[in-house]
Amino acid sequence: MKHVQDKNLKEIIPVNKPLKGVIEIPADKSISHRAAIFGALSKNKISITNFSSGADCKSTLNVLMQLGIGIDYISEKNIIISGKEFNEPCNVLDAGNSGTTIRLMTGVLAGSNFYSVLTGDQSLRSRPMARVINPLRTMGANIFARENDTKAPISIIGSKLSGIDFNSTIASAQLKSAILLAGMSADGMTSVTEPFKSRDHTERLLKYLDADISINNNTVSIKKTVLAPKDITIPGDISSAAFFLVAGAIIPDSEITIQNVGLNSTRTGIIDVLKNMGAEITILNERIECGEEVGDIKICYSDLKGIIIDKEIIPRVIDELPIIAVAATQAEGTTIVKGAEDLRHKESDRIKAICTELKKLGADIQETEDGFIIHGKSKLKGNCTLECYHDHRIAMSGYIAGMIADSQIQINEFHWVNISFPEFTSTIENLVESATLQ
Ligand code: S3P
């Protein structure tokens, strides 16, 4: 392959040695968003240790700053939030690429006493917003949006809200959190019931901050509440760890330990899936920090086998499905993912994206309406250019697939990795280097 000259193309050279070492990954993105928003809502000064370095969480900080909140960086990953009553923003609030920022802040701003507009980049402006707007309207919110109130920009005329009992047809933590955040300023009780439990960082952090919140199976209820100003420490993001878990499992003789990873059971589906596929995984140093389980994960290269991944587990692995597809190409037999239609509404249509890109590498993968079917094990071939569709998780999945291809590949616009994991390439390079030294 000729030398890469286009600065948008990242060249991935296959590794022909095991990955061995101990790494850390960036802070959990979901918890970082919530820590910043809840810190601001506490109307006090709080410190956040190990805040995410990704662009998505910076979008949340920028939106909060536009609302008058003070944000000070003590060091690269440690920040102080000076919360206070929000001011009416004098410009449109830009959530960038971040679904969590726009949906959670829509919930917060619905009960404000001012006018605000939330928007985002091209990808975010094409994602479904009616799921949040409709229940908030039932609470009395005055919200309008493009394309019949379904797409951002979202205009909000802050108003007095009343609690609702909302039965959601989808398991979405962004939706649940938007309603609960609106419930924090609404009269009466607000309850959200989900078909399956989605990630529960909102509930755990609100409990840690002494909010008036109760949980009964898949129903969460909240009343008007004042948050305690407590400092927050954030664990590493298991969704970022997932790329290294799969790399460790599929690159022969690898042995990787990932330290300080969030192990909240609503997020550990990737561990269950890889274990079911036959991966050797050990959890070490388990502890609890700010209401979240944390520990180290050790993974060793393993012979993988295909499995069925069904709708019950989907909310616990939703962000990991693209990299699970890469693992499945290296598993003996058939892997079937079903009940994952919401994957089409992420930063990209991830079902289409991962199927198209893995096919370029010669994988036997078939797109279905609500998932995909992969027959393994395939030797992936290189000598092609992958696209990442402005989607950080498709970019990183392509990179790991490229590491086991039989010749080098290129990835177009790999910089999208910065949305969640700016240190991704250097973390891989350090592992490859330490393998070379052994
Ligand atoms: C998130 C919830 C999930 C997930 C997203 C982050 C969150 O989205 O895919 O990356 O922080 O609440 P949905 O709530 O849309 O399923």
Side-chain angles (χ1 to χ4, degrees), residues 162-382:
S162 317
I164 48 164
D165 207 338
F166 178 61
N167 229 316
S168 179
T169 52
I170 48 172
S172 157
Q174 292 178 355
L175 166 54
K176 170 176 64 180
S177 304
I179 309 302
L180 293 175
L181 280 162
M184 282 170 61
S185 66
D187 285 337
M189 169 104 90
T190 299
S191 297
V192 182
T193 303
E194 304 184 279
F196 303 106
K197 199 176 175 72
S198 65
R199 65 189 66 191
D200 65 355
H201 303 299
T202 294
E203 297 91 302
R204 286 173 187 240
L205 200 49
L206 286 176
K207 249 193 180 162
Y208 169 74
L209 299 174
D210 302 335
D212 194 348
I213 184 165
S214 59
I215 300 153
N216 186 0
N217 297 320
N218 292 355
T219 302
V220 188
S221 306
I222 198 160
K223 286 193 195 138
K224 233 182 215 168
T225 204
V226 176
L227 299 181
K230 292 189 191 171
D231 294 340
I232 301 167
T233 300
I234 301 175
D237 198 327
I238 192 163
S239 297
S240 299
F243 299 99
F244 293 89
L245 292 175
V246 169
I250 64 177
I251 298 174
D253 299 325
S254 294
E255 206 178 291
I256 305 173
T257 300
I258 312 165
Q259 290 182 321
N260 192 33
V261 185
L263 294 173
N264 176 324
S265 60
T266 60
R267 296 286 299 284
T268 47
I270 178 70
I271 295 179
D272 298 345
V273 163
L274 286 174
K275 275 189 172 166
N276 283 342
M277 292 176 88
E280 195 188 321
I281 297 184
T282 321
I283 308 289
L284 308 151
N285 294 326
E286 271 188 272
R287 56 200 186 272
I288 298 210
E289 274 171 18
C290 302
E292 294 277 351
E293 290 85 5
V294 186
D296 304 340
I297 314 177
K298 184 175 169 198
I299 180 112
C300 298
Y301 171 72
S302 316
D303 284 329
L304 300 182
K305 61 177 187 344
I307 59 166
I308 293 178
I309 300 172
D310 229 331
K311 64 176 190 298
E312 285 79 20
I313 197 177
I314 294 297
R316 296 179 58 230
V317 287
I318 188 78
D319 290 341
E320 289 68 68
L321 289 170
I323 190 63
I324 286 172
V326 175
T329 68
Q330 301 310 300
E332 267 329 317
T334 303
T335 296
I336 304 176
V337 171
K338 13 185 193 183
E341 51 278 341
D342 219 33
L343 207 54
R344 293 197 183 273
H345 305 296
K346 298 294 175 184
E347 286 83 331
S348 68
D349 174 344
R350 285 184 175 155
I351 295 180
K352 187 175 262 342
I354 201 66
C355 292
T356 308
E357 299 313 299
L358 287 179
K359 263 186 198 153
K360 286 185 191 167
L361 293 167
D364 184 347
I365 181 166
Q366 183 193 326
E367 182 177 338
T368 62
E369 213 165 291
D370 62 347
F372 42 81
I373 300 169
I374 299 180
H375 301 287
K377 161 177 190 173
S378 312
K379 178 72 199 147
L380 300 185
K381 59 184 175 59

Side-chain angles (χ1 to χ4, degrees), residues 61-134:
L61 296 185
N62 288 337
V63 166
L64 292 174
M65 278 194 280
Q66 281 185 270
L67 292 162
I69 302 302
I71 314 276
D72 292 295
Y73 272 85
I74 304 305
S75 61
E76 212 191 327
K77 293 180 180 172
N78 298 326
I79 59 173
I80 303 279
I81 308 265
S82 301
K84 63 181 222 9
E85 205 70 59
F86 289 144
N87 296 335
E88 182 173 74
C90 52
N91 204 347
V92 168
L93 302 167
D94 187 0
N97 189 248
S98 172
T100 307
T101 308
I102 200 164
R103 295 197 176 111
L104 268 57
M105 288 310 297
T106 299
V108 171
L109 294 170
S112 70
N113 54 7
F114 52 74
Y115 173 70
S116 54
V117 179
L118 281 154
T119 191
D121 69 7
Q122 196 187 335
S123 147
L124 193 59
R125 279 182 278 114
S126 69
R127 293 178 65 184
M129 295 298 148
R131 56 180 64 186
V132 175
I133 293 172
N134 291 340

